Amino acid sequence: MSSEHLLASLNPEQQEAVVSTEGPLLILAGAGSGKTRVLVHRLAYLVQEKGVDPASLLAVTFTNKAAGEMRERVERLLGLGHSGLWVSTFHSTCVRILRRDIGALGRDQNFVIYDDSDSLGLIKQVLKRHNLDPKIVEPRRLRWKFDQWKNEGVLPDRAMELSTDLEEERSAELYETYQRMLFEANALDFGDLLLQTVVLFKEHPEVLELYRQRFQFVLVDEYQDTNTVQYQWVKQLVSGHGNLCVVGDPDQSIYAWRGANLRNILDFERDYPDAKVVRLEQNYRSTQPILEGASALVANNIERKSKRLYTEREGGELITLFEANTDREEAQYVVREILTLQREDGRDLSEIAIFYRTNAQSRTFEEELLKYNVPYVIVGGVRFYERAEVKDALAYLRVLINSADEMGLRRIVNNPPRGIGRTTLDRAAEMGREAGGGLLQGLRRFASDGPARSSGKVKAFLELIDGLAREIQDLGPGEAIARVLDASGYLRQLEKDGSPEAEGRIENLRELVSSAEEFKAENIEELMEDSSERSLIELFLDQVALVSDLDQADLGEARVSLMTTHSAKGLEFPWVYLVGLEEGLLPHAASSHDESGIEEERRLCYVGMTRAMEKLTLTCAAERMRFGKRSHSMPSRFLREIPFEYIELKSAPKRRLPRYGDHEGFESRSGGQSRSSSWGKPSAERPKTKRRSDGERQLDTSYSQESSHEGDSGAGTRVRHPVYGLGTVLEVSGDGENRKLKIRFERAGVKKILARYANLERA
DNA sequence: GATCGCAATTTTTTT
DNA sequence: AATTGCGATC
């Protein structure tokens, strides 16, 4: 494609952003201003017009999805295949660097990557070693603290210096132990990937120089979300040539809680004095009411570079605000709207998205969508690679490749049960420490010196591991997983179980094997080109550690998309429902303590609103279930900040008193649900309302004790659960509001359910 | 050492 | 409302 073509479809500001290739450049790209397009064209321009070798370009993003999209579009534009162009996330870029050069830090190339739960487990080990009670020193809090330090680029020594009180000092000590144990386990956690790369570059300028030479042009996406280490990392890489292009929008900074520093983008011109700034302020995405409403909202932030986004699109529907009485009603409204859109307007479901603040909110929407058979996909949420059986299988591989991996080893040593319990493990760990080694070494000692009864079991386990380690060397990732599951007895254990849950797990493991096969098929060529010694198994483990479901979700299918507003950043949909606009939820209570917290929540709301292209609907509910209890909430302050002229108000009929009867929602459904009786609230317990002569309603709090007939809820009854589907009651226990049901579901297996909360229908 | 049952906690967002 | 963790019991 010629230069004219590369520039032809761009407006003057966009063109400037593309052709300003030398020196530092800040692109302030408002929502929907064609940012990705500009980046893609810029990369193509560098190669085609400036004759730059694709291999000397580095583009860094936050998500694999964004990276994948960018790479694909550039390669398509240039008609290139594998060109040596590096477009990847901060984390995977760092993994590639560390896999090659971490040896300079005296560490092993075969390190494992610990995810959040691995690192939480390790922190529990740290506490054990310090003889601290996890109830007093909370592991999660520590993890958060360590993470903050890592985001700030702070190592244990420095953390100690910075400590201002005793508690922080203690934490810094534990941080030190934690880092040492990570090292001993030959492991790096997420934060380490960045931090250790920065340390590597700092302590070994010759290594840094290598990468500086290679990457002549560096591009960073979503710069407003970078934290201090990422900032340092970028600075290290570009010092010298200074060819750094960063793109971002301060109004879309929503990761301060994870260490993102808004100052990185606000102070860019100070950090890179000869920086050029380009502003992209024309919005090509949203209709006027949506854009104006969102802009007016975010204008309430004090800490802000002012900006005026405009659109040439005129007209468009007003933003709808729906005020529901309950969360159930909120979900019903949205789902009915969706059904109408689909039936009457012929809209494709993939054009519709529902955004919420917390993952817990998805449940109600799922239930309603299921009831009406509306296909949907949850983006994010519980991830495939976080399921226990998947983690178990991967832990085997991890240990086989890196025998120091303590958390992996702890996970598999007695799984399936082999009679190696806590006592044995504690003793082995101690023996390992005495010998100056890790848990595995301890187990080896235990096998030879330990008490006869348990040492035999340990010995058998070690033989299994050693044998497998040899066997898998020549296997692909899929074959290796299959082999491990078979040889370890893991699969047999599940098969023997025979329960529907176990079958689900087996199914997930099959899926894991096939995704590993797929990985092999996709990457085998690249592996041939890649001179690194890493096997496909190792590359597969890296991939699963760094890839989230969000990256893999196929949004093209005809399904409604559900996700948190955080996950929605970077996406766009014609129809958007932004739900739960209530005080305490958006803005979230946990962020409402200071003004900067509120401002970030406001930006989050802004991000959600600006995803919408044609139609935006906001909803709130006066009452919702939280922690299994109903709680009341006020409409979000953000609703008042959107000018009324852009809003069309719709409200459910207001209630003067809480309606106890229909909070599960069946009675208020259209179409008559008389045959379904809700067990959620046995009728015996419902405070009754009775009509008084003056027409007012009054709560009658005297509960009558008519017991519900056993026939209704006894064992053998067929029921339908909104999520789990059809099932049969096996057992009933407890009374009144503590009534519990044990139900075997056809799809989901046996579950115990507290009747009060479950929306059960008789089937 | 494993299994069962109860209690406590959770919910802010995630590379 | 579900998961996790702990303690009691076998």
Coordinates of all heavy atoms in Angstrom, one line a residue, chain A residues 159 177 188 203 206 208 232 294 316 359 368 391 393 397 430 511 566 668 708 723 747 759:
Chain A
A159 N 12.1 -1.1 50.7 CA 10.9 -1.2 51.4 C 11.1 -1.0 52.9 O 10.4 -0.3 53.6 CB 10.2 -2.5 51.2
T177 N 11.5 -12.3 53.0 CA 11.4 -13.7 53.0 C 10.7 -14.2 51.8 O 11.0 -15.2 51.2 CB 10.6 -14.2 54.3 OG1 11.2 -13.6 55.4 CG2 10.7 -15.7 54.4
L188 N 8.8 -16.6 39.7 CA 8.5 -15.2 39.6 C 7.0 -14.9 39.6 O 6.3 -15.6 38.9 CB 9.1 -14.5 38.3 CG 10.6 -14.1 38.3 CD1 11.5 -15.3 38.2 CD2 10.8 -13.2 37.2
E203 N 21.3 -3.5 36.4 CA 22.5 -4.1 36.9 C 23.4 -4.5 35.7 O 24.6 -4.8 35.9 CB 22.2 -5.2 37.8 CG 21.7 -4.7 39.1 CD 21.4 -5.8 40.2 OE1 21.7 -6.9 39.9 OE2 20.8 -5.4 41.2
E206 N 24.9 -4.0 29.7 CA 25.3 -4.6 28.4 C 24.0 -5.3 27.9 O 23.8 -5.4 26.7 CB 26.5 -5.5 28.6 CG 26.3 -6.9 29.3 CD 26.2 -6.8 30.8 OE1 26.2 -5.6 31.3 OE2 26.0 -7.8 31.5
L208 N 20.8 -4.5 28.6 CA 19.9 -3.4 28.2 C 20.3 -2.9 26.8 O 19.5 -2.7 25.9 CB 20.0 -2.2 29.2 CG 19.2 -1.0 28.8 CD1 17.8 -1.2 28.5 CD2 19.4 0.1 29.9
Q232 N 9.6 3.1 34.4 CA 11.0 3.0 34.4 C 11.5 2.1 33.3 O 12.5 2.4 32.6 CB 11.5 2.4 35.8 CG 11.2 3.3 36.9 CD 11.4 2.6 38.3 OE1 11.5 1.4 38.3 NE2 11.5 3.4 39.4
A294 N -21.6 11.7 28.5 CA -20.4 11.2 29.1 C -19.4 12.3 29.4 O -18.7 12.3 30.4 CB -19.8 10.1 28.2
G316 N -29.7 11.1 17.1 CA -29.4 9.9 17.9 C -30.4 9.9 19.1 O -30.8 10.9 19.6
N359 N -18.2 -8.4 39.5 CA -18.5 -9.7 38.9 C -19.8 -10.3 39.5 O -20.5 -11.0 38.8 CB -17.4 -10.7 39.1 CG -16.3 -10.4 38.0 OD1 -16.6 -10.4 36.8 ND2 -15.1 -10.2 38.4
E368 N -31.8 -14.3 34.4 CA -32.9 -13.9 33.5 C -32.6 -14.2 32.1 O -33.6 -14.6 31.4 CB -33.0 -12.3 33.7 CG -33.5 -11.9 35.0 CD -34.9 -12.5 35.4 OE1 -35.8 -12.5 34.5 OE2 -35.1 -12.9 36.5
K391 N -5.6 -26.4 36.9 CA -4.4 -26.0 37.7 C -3.6 -27.2 38.1 O -2.3 -27.2 38.1 CB -4.7 -25.1 38.8 CG -5.2 -23.8 38.4 CD -5.2 -22.8 39.6 CE -3.8 -22.4 39.8 NZ -3.7 -21.2 40.7
A393 N -3.4 -30.2 36.7 CA -2.7 -30.8 35.5 C -1.5 -30.0 35.1 O -0.4 -30.5 34.9 CB -3.7 -30.9 34.3
L397 N 3.0 -30.5 35.1 CA 3.9 -30.1 34.1 C 5.0 -29.1 34.6 O 6.2 -29.3 34.4 CB 3.2 -29.4 32.9 CG 2.4 -30.3 31.9 CD1 2.1 -29.4 30.7 CD2 3.2 -31.5 31.5
E430 N 11.1 -29.9 56.4 CA 12.1 -29.6 57.4 C 13.5 -30.3 57.0 O 14.5 -29.7 57.0 CB 11.7 -30.1 58.8 CG 12.4 -29.5 59.9 CD 12.0 -30.1 61.2 OE1 10.7 -30.4 61.3 OE2 12.8 -30.4 62.1
E511 N -10.7 -30.5 27.3 CA -10.5 -29.2 26.7 C -9.1 -28.7 26.8 O -8.6 -28.1 25.9 CB -11.6 -28.3 27.3 CG -12.0 -27.2 26.4 CD -13.0 -26.3 27.1 OE1 -14.0 -26.8 27.6 OE2 -12.8 -25.0 27.0
H566 N -14.4 -2.6 33.7 CA -13.0 -2.6 33.5 C -12.6 -3.5 32.3 O -11.7 -3.1 31.5 CB -12.3 -3.2 34.8 CG -12.1 -2.2 35.9 ND1 -13.0 -2.0 36.8 CD2 -11.1 -1.4 36.2 CE1 -12.6 -1.1 37.7 NE2 -11.4 -0.7 37.3
S668 N -43.9 -11.3 39.4 CA -44.0 -10.1 38.6 C -43.7 -10.3 37.1 O -43.7 -9.5 36.3 CB -43.1 -9.0 39.1 OG -41.8 -9.5 39.3
S708 N -45.3 -25.6 55.7 CA -45.5 -25.9 54.3 C -45.6 -27.4 54.2 O -44.9 -28.1 54.8 CB -44.3 -25.4 53.5 OG -43.1 -25.9 54.0
V723 N -29.8 -21.4 37.5 CA -28.5 -21.6 36.9 C -28.2 -23.0 36.6 O -27.7 -23.4 35.5 CB -27.4 -21.0 37.8 CG1 -26.0 -21.3 37.3 CG2 -27.6 -19.5 37.9
R747 N -27.2 -31.5 35.0 CA -26.0 -31.0 34.3 C -24.9 -30.7 35.3 O -23.7 -30.9 35.1 CB -26.3 -29.7 33.6 CG -27.2 -29.8 32.4 CD -26.9 -28.7 31.4 NE -26.9 -27.4 32.0 CZ -27.9 -26.6 32.0 NH1 -29.0 -26.9 31.4 NH2 -27.8 -25.4 32.6
N759 N -33.6 -19.6 43.8 CA -34.8 -19.3 43.1 C -35.3 -20.6 42.5 O -35.3 -20.8 41.3 CB -34.5 -18.4 41.9 CG -34.7 -17.0 42.4 OD1 -35.6 -16.7 43.2 ND2 -33.9 -16.1 41.8

